[in-house]
Amino acid sequence: MSILRISCATFMIIALVFVYSYDWVFMSFATISFCFGVLLLRIDNINAVSITTLILAMSLFEFVSFNYLIPLESDTLPMIWLGSIVYGVQFLLFFSTCIVLLLRVRLIKRFFKQVHNIAPTYAEGLIALCLFMTAMLMALMLIENFVRNTIDLGFTSQFFGALTQLTIVYDSYEIIAYTLRASICALLISMLFVVEIDTTKLVEPK
């Protein structure tokens, strides 16, 4: 069975579970569990370990931050600032993880020169794409939250009052975010079968 078929089948299963549950805590816990599973079974592969460790660190930071440090609801903090903090932190988290993942090979070769067998993988480019798309989703949520809650800054005209009904991104946020996370989990699981790109099959141009 090809890596593409495995990834697609896994993605469909995880996406259905995530979207059906609509439970952020469950999704975060599931991602962390997948990471530990890959680390346990692929501990001998530096590429799988480095990629999975990065996603695990991101997921743990996300889980701890939004469960114990950053409130998702507040009776005192205006929504324009609360939403800006929540979506802003998520944007920075996903975007920085994406950048580090794209630079993974260079960073490991530079700071861990004793480590060998560092190579690009089938999964990391697609995982980076999912992280980038999630970061863009958070950026759109940040912008929409600011526009929708401009009334909190004291703008009370009819125009700004009408903007409070702006929920274009918000209405589709969950299904997009859950689908992207399911894709990341499926790609992590795919590394149980294939990790490094087989460069021996590349043909030099004449």
Side-chain angles (χ1 to χ4, degrees):
M1 185 178 293
S2 69
I3 188 65
L4 180 59
R5 292 180 180 178
I6 295 172
S7 299
C8 289
T10 308
F11 160 74
M12 290 178 65
I13 295 172
I14 299 174
L16 286 173
V17 173
F18 281 0
V19 173
Y20 178 78
S21 67
Y22 273 109
D23 188 334
W24 176 84
V25 175
F26 170 76
M27 181 185 71
S28 184
F29 180 76
T31 306
I32 294 171
S33 300
F34 286 135
C35 288
F36 277 117
V38 175
L39 285 175
L40 180 64
L41 298 173
R42 277 291 191 172
I43 192 64
D44 59 335
N45 189 293
I46 182 60
N47 296 298
V49 168
S50 57
I51 294 172
T52 307
T53 300
L54 183 59
I55 301 302
L56 177 61
M58 179 199 76
S59 301
L60 287 173
F61 179 86
E62 179 186 39
F63 182 81
V64 172
S65 296
F66 295 106
N67 271 286
Y68 303 105
L69 301 177
I70 301 175
L72 299 178
E73 297 180 356
S74 175
D75 295 330
T76 57
L77 191 65
M79 191 59 199
I80 190 171
W81 304 124
L82 179 62
S84 297
I85 294 172
V86 172
Y87 300 126
V89 169
Q90 286 183 303
F91 168 76
L92 292 175
L93 175 63
F94 289 113
F95 187 75
S96 59
T97 305
C98 173
I99 297 300
V100 174
L101 184 59
L102 290 174
L103 298 175
R104 178 187 67 89
V105 174
R106 293 184 181 181
L107 291 174
I108 293 179
K109 286 183 176 180
R110 179 168 183 176
F111 295 105
F112 302 94
K113 296 182 179 180
Q114 72 279 10
V115 178
H116 304 289
N117 301 320
I118 304 299
T121 70
Y122 288 98
E124 64 187 302
L126 294 174
I127 293 177
L129 177 61
C130 292
L131 291 171
F132 178 77
M133 293 176 66
T134 305
M136 292 303 100
L137 175 64
M138 297 305 168
L140 291 174
M141 287 291 292
L142 179 62
I143 295 171
E144 187 180 77
N145 172 77
F146 192 87
V147 173
R148 185 173 63 245
N149 296 288
T150 309
I151 195 171
D152 291 339
L153 298 178
F155 297 95
T156 57
S157 67
Q158 184 177 359
F159 173 74
F160 291 103
L163 289 179
T164 59
Q165 305 300 318
L166 182 64
T167 58
I168 298 174
V169 183
Y170 181 82
D171 289 340
S172 55
Y173 163 76
E174 285 188 324
I175 191 167
I176 296 175
Y178 280 49
T179 301
L180 289 171
R181 183 59 64 89
S183 300
I184 293 175
C185 291
L187 290 165
L188 287 174
I189 293 174
S190 73
M191 290 194 296
L192 295 175
F193 305 94
V194 178
V195 182
E196 294 86 0
I197 294 175
D198 186 2
T199 56
T200 61
K201 294 182 179 180
L202 297 178
V203 179
E204 290 290 338
K206 297 182 180 180

